Amino acid sequence: MGLTADTVRERTRSPLPMPGSGATQGRLDALVALGHEDLSLAKLAEPHHDAVAIGADLGHPIDTDGVWAVWAAAPPFAVVRATRSGERWRLDGTKAFCSGADLVTHALVTADDDGRDRLFAVDLDQPGVAVDDRAPAWVGPGMTDARTVSLRLDAVEAVAVGAPGAYVQRPGFWHGAIGIAAVWTGGARAVADVLERSARLDEHGLAHRGAVRAALHTATALLDDAARRIDADPSRDAERLALSVRAGVADAVDTVLHHVGRATGPGPLAFDAEHARRVADLQVFVRQHHAERDLARLGGLP
């Protein structure tokens, strides 16, 4: 599907329960449903809901009449620096992995503030915001509908959101990371649909479907447990919980991709455009889990 600003706006119009509000289960269920519907759409709608939660955590209410992105990736080839003049802030540099840059109205953007990472709110409808054609272009087949680009920011006006480091130091950063795992789970369910619809499975195909069902049950159980823990005490072991949930869900996603592919063969990938797109999207999206690097971080926590 080709995403439009209206489609994204429709999926951000209704607010989700806030993490730790007593209704975290409802929030995660909604994100699973978004992932099941369309991962590229979820890539644009989920950050809006995350931005609302970030704003609440950092005392910067988000104007929900717009659609917000959260652009926090900082690969070596893209650096944004913040400078201050009186009460005004200015951002200059290249911001990578800006999904939906032509479909959203505002963004929370991380930038370097004199050697410290800081979050800023940016209205994208201003001079100085443009696609950076010098940066690497998105060429892979997965998540193409999310329209991810690198943006060049030249003297872009911004508003500081929280103190330096505050964005990543709050428990809500990790609650948002669990929200991404919920989206992955929805995407895995969508990939599994082709296997669930099949009426021609032999005993080997049934075994593959059984493995997929077990993996999805595990992912769902991890999310359900996380929701209960967050509501019971939002600040307790938030990083450890998020890293554990994401590792478990990422493993479940890999299991689903593996068994669906072996059970169905090349047919759906070659002739079912919707399934092929879902597989490509999920393979890219789940790589936001940093594999052994995240496992090492988890293993090093007290």
Side-chain angles (χ1 to χ4, degrees):
M1 65 179 285
L3 296 182
T4 66
D6 287 342
T7 302
V8 178
R9 181 71 188 101
E10 181 61 30
R11 294 308 188 279
T12 60
R13 194 176 303 275
S14 298
L16 299 186
M18 299 293 279
S21 65
T24 303
Q25 182 74 66
R27 182 183 183 88
L28 295 183
D29 286 348
L31 294 176
V32 170
L34 261 176
H36 184 267
E37 179 182 357
D38 186 283
L39 282 175
S40 289
L41 176 59
K43 186 72 175 76
L44 305 186
E46 182 277 333
H48 172 88
H49 297 295
D50 190 34
V52 173
I54 294 167
D57 284 349
L58 299 181
H60 184 94
I62 294 298
D63 179 5
T64 55
D65 286 340
V67 178
W68 287 75
V70 180
W71 297 330
F77 65 83
V79 176
V80 175
R81 290 187 170 86
T83 55
R84 185 174 184 174
S85 176
E87 295 302 314
R88 295 178 179 272
W89 286 92
R90 188 182 78 181
L91 303 185
D92 293 274
T94 296
K95 196 64 183 174
F97 295 109
C98 299
S99 296
D102 61 335
L103 299 175
V104 302
T105 61
H106 298 75
L108 294 178
V109 178
T110 53
D112 179 87
D113 171 20
D114 195 23
R116 304 165 299 176
D117 203 43
R118 192 165 193 170
L119 191 67
F120 295 87
V122 177
D123 183 341
L124 298 173
D125 185 18
Q126 60 175 298
V129 179
V131 174
D132 189 343
D133 293 327
R134 299 167 299 177
W138 191 278
V139 297
M143 299 297 290
T144 54
D145 281 345
R147 292 167 32 192
T148 301
V149 298
S150 294
L151 289 181
R152 181 70 192 176
L153 307 180
D154 292 311
V156 170
E157 294 186 0
V159 177
V161 179
Y167 166 59
V168 298
Q169 290 169 356
R170 61 201 169 87
F173 176 82
W174 298 106
H175 301 158
I178 292 172
I180 295 296
V183 173
W184 297 340
T185 300
R189 288 182 180 179
V191 168
D193 284 346
V194 70
L195 197 53
E196 289 293 339
R197 291 193 301 265
S198 178
R200 295 185 172 181
L201 295 180
D202 60 14
E203 61 182 11
H204 299 292
L206 292 174
H208 287 302
R209 186 158 71 184
V212 166
R213 288 177 174 177
L216 291 175
H217 180 84
T218 297
T220 301
L222 286 167
L223 294 173
D224 292 350
D225 177 69
R228 288 191 294 269
R229 290 174 182 268
I230 292 169
D231 283 337
D233 187 347
S235 62
R236 182 179 181 184
D237 293 332
E239 180 180 3
R240 184 168 180 168
L241 176 64
L243 291 173
S244 296
V245 170
R246 285 166 64 91
V249 170
D251 282 348
V253 167
D254 288 345
T255 296
V256 170
L257 289 167
H258 173 79
H259 284 282
V260 169
R262 290 178 72 87
T264 59
L269 292 174
F271 305 116
D272 183 339
E274 182 69 15
H275 175 73
R277 182 176 66 86
R278 286 173 166 177
V279 169
D281 287 352
L282 185 58
Q283 287 175 326
V284 173
F285 207 155
V286 77
R287 291 282 57 85
Q288 286 189 359
H289 180 251
H290 301 125
E292 284 71 22
R293 182 173 287 106
D294 279 357
L295 291 174
R297 180 166 182 159
L298 175 59
L301 292 176

